[in-house]
Amino acid sequence: RARGHSMTPFDYDYVCRLVRDRSAIHLEAGKEYLVKARLQPIAKQLQLNSISDLVARLRANVDDGLKAKVVEAMATSESLFFRDHHPFETLRTTIIPALIRSRAAEQRLNIWCAACSTGQEPYSLAMLFREHFSQLSGWKVNILATDFSQEILTRARAGRFNQIEVNRGLPAPLLVKYFQQHGAAWELCENIRQAVDFQELNLAQTWPPLPRMDLIMMRNVLIYFEAAMKKSIFSRVARLLRTDGYLLLGGAETTLNLDDSFRRAEELKGGFYRLDH
């Protein structure tokens, strides 16, 4: 039985290279336990005896869909509604009102949720707008949500969440107001689903043409990249963000020592950055 759980350094190295080449995610030494935990279900699903057998199949290049599946398994991140509370509170009380004032003439907002996973973050934003900013009803509000995984995006577009997912971060009144229960699943109402445009985009590769953004939410994804890739992403973000726009990073992330065109907005709770003019 031990054989099923073992993973040779040779196998680990192969998986690390595959994941880095496809997604730029850097799995440093010591992450073997994580790789094993994420690969075991795939090996089991394919009725393979061990992770080594799975790696052998990857090496044999029999099935390119399998490589995509392995890379997606390594990149799967948790997503919660209204994650960490503070950023959404700051958006509601300070940032969205400021953007509404400064964009009053053009009546358009462009927002990008990068690495959106199964959609909780962009959907939280859409609900926030619907609940608190009725003055935006005549505006063009574009919420672009991107991820590199087609499988994840299909789930996100469907807007169906299980009981555990809706229990995490979603206030009960919003569940009642915006979701319909279908058996064990909760489905988001169509007008919230249609407020978000989901598209495939790999942050580590060439980006498609994007509009200038008022707000970019790029939370808990840069932690997976090496410094050179972070620098490349930040320099592209700096060009994409409007001069008075906002960048939101995850709690453990910073632009410090990576890109000096940003400064942390210390007066705002929640990890917001502005361009440093």
Side-chain angles (χ1 to χ4, degrees):
R1 172 147 180 80
R3 188 173 162 257
H5 294 271
S6 64
M7 186 176 197
T8 68
F10 190 52
D11 291 340
Y12 182 66
D13 186 53
Y14 176 82
V15 172
C16 289
R17 276 205 319 277
L18 171 68
V19 171
R20 191 174 61 233
D21 293 346
R22 294 251 176 151
S23 69
I25 289 172
H26 174 59
L27 296 165
E28 63 264 32
K31 285 282 163 79
E32 287 85 350
Y33 67 94
L34 173 77
V35 171
K36 278 194 245 181
R38 298 267 171 99
L39 293 187
Q40 260 152 7
I42 300 176
K44 194 173 171 184
Q45 204 180 351
L46 295 170
Q47 300 181 325
L48 298 170
N49 293 324
S50 68
I51 289 172
S52 286
D53 290 350
L54 176 64
V55 175
R57 184 174 286 201
L58 289 168
R59 286 176 186 281
N61 268 329
V62 184
D63 171 12
D64 198 56
L66 182 58
K67 287 187 174 173
K69 194 174 220 171
V70 164
V71 174
E72 280 174 14
M74 288 307 131
T76 302
S77 59
E78 275 207 313
S79 191
L80 286 73
F81 286 101
F82 298 97
R83 184 172 189 166
D84 303 333
H85 179 69
H86 283 312
F88 284 94
E89 205 43 33
T90 299
L91 285 167
R92 183 180 71 78
T93 58
T94 311
I95 289 177
I96 305 301
L99 287 172
I100 287 174
R101 287 191 297 274
S102 58
R103 304 290 183 262
E106 53 198 270
Q107 300 210 334
R108 172 189 288 269
L109 285 178
N110 288 322
I111 296 163
W112 177 23
C113 296
C116 66
S117 190
T118 39
Q120 283 93 324
E121 180 176 86
Y123 286 141
S124 295
L125 263 183
M127 285 185 272
L128 184 81
F129 287 138
R130 188 60 57 99
E131 286 291 295
H132 299 287
F133 298 102
S134 55
Q135 66 267 49
L136 289 173
S137 62
W139 287 42
K140 185 88 181 96
V141 178
N142 304 306
I143 302 175
L144 171 67
T146 64
D147 204 279
F148 83 93
S149 159
Q150 268 301 349
E151 193 180 328
I152 292 278
L153 288 169
T154 302
R155 278 186 57 199
R157 283 187 196 105
R160 283 175 83 92
F161 299 94
N162 64 32
Q163 189 68 51
I164 294 168
E165 288 167 329
V166 296
N167 281 351
R168 301 178 72 190
L170 185 68
L174 298 188
L175 178 63
V176 172
K177 189 168 177 180
Y178 294 113
F179 289 77
Q180 279 190 314
Q181 192 166 11
H182 295 282
W186 291 84
E187 189 171 293
L188 198 48
C189 66
E190 195 173 354
N191 59 12
I192 297 290
R193 288 208 314 272
Q194 292 188 337
V196 181
D197 174 23
F198 288 99
Q199 290 185 28
E200 188 178 353
L201 185 149
N202 188 330
L203 287 172
Q205 294 171 2
T206 310
W207 299 357
L210 296 168
R212 296 290 300 281
M213 295 290 172
D214 301 298
L215 168 65
I216 296 176
M217 298 175 74
M218 195 173 275
R219 304 171 72 199
N220 308 304
V221 58
L222 294 165
I223 42 177
Y224 296 109
F225 296 140
E226 293 178 279
M229 181 55 69
K230 288 180 191 175
K231 285 179 180 173
S232 156
I233 290 171
F234 280 138
S235 77
R236 287 183 274 175
V237 166
R239 291 196 295 275
L240 198 58
L241 197 61
R242 288 182 66 166
T243 50
D244 57 348
Y246 298 83
L247 167 67
L248 173 61
L249 298 178
E253 297 165 323
T254 179
T255 59
L256 206 63
N257 302 326
L258 292 166
D259 194 316
D260 53 14
S261 48
F262 294 94
R263 65 173 176 81
R264 191 179 174 105
E266 297 293 354
E267 70 282 8
L268 301 175
K269 268 183 139 167
F272 289 92
Y273 289 78
R274 320 259 346 234
L275 287 167
D276 198 5
H277 306 297

